[in-house]
Amino acid sequence: MAYHFENIKLEKGMYNQAGMTFTQILEKADPSENYKNTPLEGLDAYQRQLKRFDIKVKGAGSDIVEKFFRTTDSAVLFPEYVARSVRAGMEDENILPAITAAVTTIDAMDYRSIYSVPTDADKSLRRVEEGAVIPQTEIKARENLVHLHKRGRMLVASYEAIRFQRLDLFSVMLRQIGSQIMRMHLDDAISVLIDGDGNANEAGAYAVGTSPIGGTAGTLTYSELLDFWAQFDPYNLNTLIVPPAVMLSMLKLPEFQNPLTGLNFQGTGELTSPIGARLIKTAAAPAGRIIGLDKNYALEMIQSADVSVEYDRLIDRQLERAAITSISGFAKLYTDAAKVLTI
């Protein structure tokens, strides 16, 4: 049986169509819905092209890099392979979904977010008498733009150095690049949570040993965590971002050694605290500081396009100095939904 995907003409220009990725272009020319109830069901348009040229990118029997360049058409698939491998590295240990309330995709380098600053009266659920004015919640556009940042790495390798390497091994190198790019985005996110996005919306700052947080500066006990938790009303403290040294101190607290907490960690791999907040350990968090937030209201992620690779260089085997980039930025939503505790 002949399939349509075997006759599609592949060319560089498929990477250069505004608003569409390479895979979306392929899907438009070769819709996956046409392959229902066939042996190719479950493959997307790009994976069908790999099958067309018999290129195996995973497993012990994966092909060598050079196989992408056996024909002019198959060489066009190489940048998408690089982008997918990098994207996989970005997603491997991506904690951004755990700290962002919304993700907005735009086609620009600047963005103006919206916000609402509810008063105490706005937060209360008052009964509205007949004929009375209904309380208002005002939503405004931010005064200052949120600037997106391009983060990336340079792929520096000669074609001769990698042409005979297995794609499975080369993917590991590319995933590491993706991991490094995601770490840069995480640094940006944590910076915005603490310092704001340029719209005078820095996180509230608290310190152990300074009212309303009890205890002694430099020492963390469960009591101080409860004091910090109490500052979040009407929001819920459901996420704690902590540096490794602070995480170690927290896990040594008797309250964190509760058998039920241990069973949850053993059963799901999720670290939770006795106050119900998810614990996220990352070296991107400033030393000696705990970032607490209500992940449902604190942060918006803005991204422009997808992982970008210099497709011309990759297709022409000019891997030396080929840039791999990703563009994103972050905006604070509700200022009081994120706070910082200094130990």
Side-chain angles (χ1 to χ4, degrees), residues 11-227:
E11 55 186 7
K12 290 182 181 181
M14 299 175 76
Y15 285 98
N16 199 30
Q17 295 193 30
M20 297 187 72
T21 65
F22 180 75
T23 296
Q24 288 171 337
I25 297 295
L26 284 178
E27 284 287 349
K28 185 177 179 180
D30 181 41
S32 292
E33 62 185 27
N34 294 342
Y35 295 88
K36 289 182 179 179
N37 301 318
T38 75
L40 300 178
E41 184 177 12
L43 300 181
D44 65 25
Y46 176 75
Q47 291 168 328
R48 288 193 292 275
Q49 290 301 313
L50 292 179
K51 184 174 182 63
R52 169 188 176 184
F53 295 101
D54 192 31
I55 299 175
K56 301 179 180 64
V57 298
K58 295 181 180 179
S62 63
D63 290 308
I64 59 176
V65 173
E66 187 180 43
K67 193 163 184 178
F68 270 106
F69 300 95
R70 297 282 172 83
T71 71
T72 303
D73 277 353
S74 62
V76 177
L77 299 174
F78 187 62
E80 178 65 9
Y81 155 75
V82 172
R84 288 191 176 210
S85 298
V86 171
R87 197 179 303 120
M90 295 176 67
E91 295 171 353
D92 277 347
E93 297 183 10
N94 182 15
I95 68 171
L96 289 178
I99 64 175
T100 51
V103 178
T104 303
T105 301
I106 63 172
D107 187 19
M109 287 298 293
D110 296 308
Y111 173 75
R112 194 182 301 275
S113 186
I114 58 175
Y115 75 105
S116 173
V117 183
T119 64
D120 290 338
D122 294 331
K123 296 174 185 176
S124 63
L125 300 177
R126 295 180 298 169
R127 188 173 73 180
V128 180
E129 302 293 346
E130 183 176 353
V133 177
I134 298 177
Q136 301 180 92
T137 295
E138 187 174 6
I139 298 175
K140 302 179 181 179
R142 289 287 185 190
E143 179 179 353
N144 296 319
L145 293 172
V146 173
H147 299 289
L148 277 64
H149 302 286
K150 179 184 288 187
R151 303 299 190 193
R153 307 291 293 183
M154 195 71 73
L155 177 60
V156 182
S158 67
Y159 176 67
E160 289 71 21
I162 66 169
R163 61 184 296 190
F164 297 119
Q165 295 299 322
R166 295 288 173 184
L167 289 167
D168 199 40
L169 175 60
F170 190 47
S171 295
V172 174
M173 307 298 153
L174 296 173
R175 290 202 306 270
Q176 175 62 14
I177 291 176
S179 177
Q180 292 168 337
I181 292 174
M182 184 52 66
R183 168 60 188 271
M184 296 177 194
H185 289 322
L186 179 58
D187 286 342
D188 290 341
I190 289 177
S191 176
V192 169
L193 281 173
I194 297 173
D195 301 321
D197 57 20
N199 287 284
N201 51 6
E202 301 86 354
Y206 299 87
V208 172
T210 302
S211 182
I213 309 298
T216 304
T219 303
L220 180 67
T221 69
Y222 187 59
S223 178
E224 284 83 74
L225 287 175
L226 288 178
D227 290 339

